[in-house]
Amino acid sequence: MEKSQDMKTITVKTPGQEPYDICLKHSFSDLACELKKLGCEGRRICIVTDSTVAPLYLAEVKEQVQLCCPAAETYIFEAGEQSKTLATVQELYKVLIQAGFDRKDYLLALGGGVTGDLTGYAAATYLRGIRFIQIPTTLLAQIDSSIGGKTGVDFDQYKNMVGAFHQPALVYINLSVLKTLSDDQFASGMGELLKYGLSFDADFYEWAIEHMEGIEEREPSAMAYMVAKCCELKRYIVEKDPTEKGDRALLNFGHTIGHAIEKLKNFTLTHGACVALGTVAAAYISWQRGMLDEDEFYEIRDMNVGFGLPISFDSISAEDIIAVTKSDKKMDAGKIRFILLKKPGKAYIATDVTDQEMLEAVKMLKAD
Ligand SMILES: NC(=O)c1ccc[n+]([C@@H]2O[C@H](COP(=O)([O-])OP(=O)(O)OC[C@H]3O[C@@H](n4cnc5c(N)ncnc54)[C@H](O)[C@@H]3O)[C@@H](O)[C@H]2O)c1
Ligand SMILES: [Zn+2]
């Protein structure tokens, strides 16, 4: 495949923060070397991972870490969103205190977005902040959650309610781990990837459509190109707006309705599947407002099917979804900041989306 962006390093520079590298690799074999470059030698590192990722990759990562930092601890929690809580973070604090971690030591998140978010939050708060390293292992985490320093946990069923901005010291991406992801988890990452294309880069969206087969087969060259592309897009956005005062909110395309469905479905659907449904709803409103034409709307909707993502849901009411969107964080003085499309590849923040528009869009997604 053309445009292979293998073995790339992308440096993220956010104002007032130390720059950090996103290293794209095909294995873990350069990890010890990258850790040495960071100056980790002789420091303690606690590898935080979940019960699914640990049997797959912990031994290999620990071996690399110990080449640089022999005093490596591990903390393993039960895989899944239900672990993204203050209780898990507290357990991790206990491990760190018992092992005597000080302000110069490191946490290392090995896993998906749940691992990255909760490890990052622990790193942001332990001793008022220690450094942390991201080794994202889901497609979603590699293209989105590991970059940009948003960390946090859920609280009382409210997603990401407690959190902090805390930038990683390094993001080490081993593309080969995408091979062991379940089809649902891979599709979930594609939900976020299509979001990038639709909101920021129409050419990239077209590339994804043209390379659907290679993507579905998880061809290394396709993975290298698309993960690098998303990392570059995310780098560009977080450098411009590190604390989400402006354009970074455009990354929430599909998330207002997506988060509401995710919550009402009790997290039984993946995050990216919910975002994909929210994307179709937002595209529908954009079509109804005359900014997309009918063909563009149906292409956006049907692309979900091509990438194993849903275009409908059942069991929950449209009215409940609208009610839940009101408790979402994406509010501005009581108004929802809803992301719509001016055209494919160009998103904007709308504060005038009515309940009626949302209701119609959500009803269009209902399968029952
Ligand atoms: N911080 C941010 O900017 C940001 C952005 C987007 C999403 N998020 C958060 O990310 C979370 C979702 O992340 P996720 O989808 O990665 O979920 P996740 O971390 O729960 O991972 C999904 C599942 O895949 C398994 N897994 C991980 N890597 C694997 C691999 N290589 N092979 C096989 N199985 C593997 C995990 O054990 C888990 O069961 C949500 O909590 C969401 O709020 C954060
Ligand atoms: Zn998301």
Side-chain angles (χ1 to χ4, degrees):
M1 185 170 299
E2 81 278 25
K3 292 186 183 170
S4 170
Q5 298 199 358
D6 203 358
M7 306 303 284
K8 217 179 158 78
T9 297
I10 297 165
T11 305
V12 184
K13 299 179 187 125
T14 32
Q17 310 280 338
E18 248 178 90
Y20 60 92
D21 284 345
I22 305 169
C23 299
L24 289 143
K25 307 279 181 182
H26 282 295
S27 76
F28 287 120
S29 62
D30 292 333
L31 180 59
C33 176
E34 294 296 335
L35 293 176
K36 280 179 191 159
K37 277 196 222 160
L38 266 189
C40 293
E41 247 168 322
R43 305 306 325 176
R44 270 162 295 197
I45 291 195
C46 181
I47 305 169
V48 181
T49 191
D50 73 25
S51 52
T52 304
V53 176
L56 293 169
Y57 301 114
L58 179 58
E60 208 181 331
V61 167
K62 195 168 181 184
E63 196 183 308
Q64 282 289 320
V65 168
Q66 285 181 320
L67 290 174
C68 178
C69 316
E73 296 287 328
T74 50
Y75 173 70
I76 302 171
F77 63 92
E78 196 192 325
E81 183 76 30
Q82 76 285 353
S83 291
K84 205 175 112 174
T85 61
L86 288 172
T88 311
V89 173
Q90 281 176 4
E91 287 301 312
L92 175 54
Y93 291 148
K94 283 184 200 158
V95 172
L96 301 178
I97 291 165
Q98 262 164 21
F101 269 57
D102 68 34
R103 292 198 68 184
K104 292 202 167 130
D105 295 328
Y106 289 75
L107 298 188
L108 186 156
L110 171 66
V114 166
T115 307
D117 279 11
L118 81 85
T119 307
Y121 184 66
T125 47
Y126 181 74
L127 297 177
R128 297 198 184 87
I130 63 172
R131 299 177 91 200
F132 86 113
I133 294 150
Q134 291 268 23
I135 304 189
T137 62
T138 60
L139 178 58
L140 184 145
Q142 294 191 347
I143 65 171
D144 191 356
S145 63
S146 64
I147 308 156
K150 265 205 213 174
T151 74
V153 293
D154 305 332
F155 187 78
D156 269 1
Q157 288 300 301
Y158 291 100
K159 280 273 295 174
N160 303 325
M161 210 28 140
V162 178
F165 282 99
H166 190 56
Q167 306 296 334
L170 168 71
V171 181
Y172 186 101
I173 295 179
N174 172 0
L175 295 160
S176 78
V177 302
L178 298 175
K179 283 192 300 238
T180 54
L181 276 182
S182 67
D183 288 347
D184 274 0
Q185 291 301 340
F186 187 77
S188 176
M190 287 307 298
E192 295 278 14
L193 184 138
L194 296 174
K195 169 198 83 176
Y196 277 109
L198 281 171
S199 26
F200 298 104
D201 190 334
D203 288 346
F204 180 46
Y205 185 69
E206 288 303 317
W207 176 91
I209 296 172
E210 279 164 27
H211 294 86
M212 189 182 274
E213 212 172 300
I215 294 170
E216 286 304 281
E217 283 168 15
R218 305 184 200 177
E219 278 175 6
S221 58
M223 299 300 99
Y225 176 69
M226 70 185 202
V227 172
K229 183 81 195 174
C230 292
C231 290
E232 273 167 358
L233 283 168
K234 180 116 189 207
R235 183 259 304 255
Y236 173 75
I237 296 154
V238 302
E239 283 186 351
K240 257 178 67 186
D241 182 16
T243 53
E244 201 169 312
K245 301 268 188 310
D247 277 1
R248 188 167 176 177
L250 300 177
L251 284 172
N252 292 328
F253 180 58
H255 281 64
T256 303
I257 286 173
H259 272 163
I261 296 173
E262 194 175 16
K263 184 177 175 190
L264 288 165
K265 279 281 187 186
N266 223 358
F267 300 97
T268 52
L269 286 177
T270 62
H271 177 71
C274 296
V275 170
L277 286 167
T279 297
V280 179
Y284 181 83
I285 297 173
S286 308
W287 171 34
Q288 296 305 304
R289 287 188 172 202
M291 295 179 291
L292 296 181
D293 64 32
E294 187 174 358
D295 286 352
E296 285 170 330
F297 166 71
Y298 281 108
E299 184 182 67
I300 289 170
R301 191 194 69 161
D302 295 343
M303 228 21 75
N304 277 6
V305 181
F307 286 110
L309 290 159
I311 54 170
S312 65
F313 65 89
D314 57 20
S315 313
I316 49 178
S317 85
E319 287 74 14
D320 284 351
I321 291 173
I322 307 308
V324 170
T325 60
K326 313 272 177 187
S327 64
D328 201 84
K329 292 194 295 321
K330 285 167 266 310
M331 299 276 279
D332 192 355
K335 286 190 172 146
I336 287 182
R337 296 164 80 210
F338 204 103
I339 315 302
L340 295 178
L341 293 181
K342 281 199 180 102
K343 59 180 184 177
K346 187 98 193 82
Y348 75 102
I349 303 169
T351 50
D352 61 349
V353 174
T354 63
D355 285 4
Q356 190 55 31
E357 283 180 295
M358 280 198 276
L359 208 55
E360 276 168 28
V362 169
K363 281 186 175 157
M364 174 271 311
L365 293 170
K366 289 264 300 159
D368 56 356

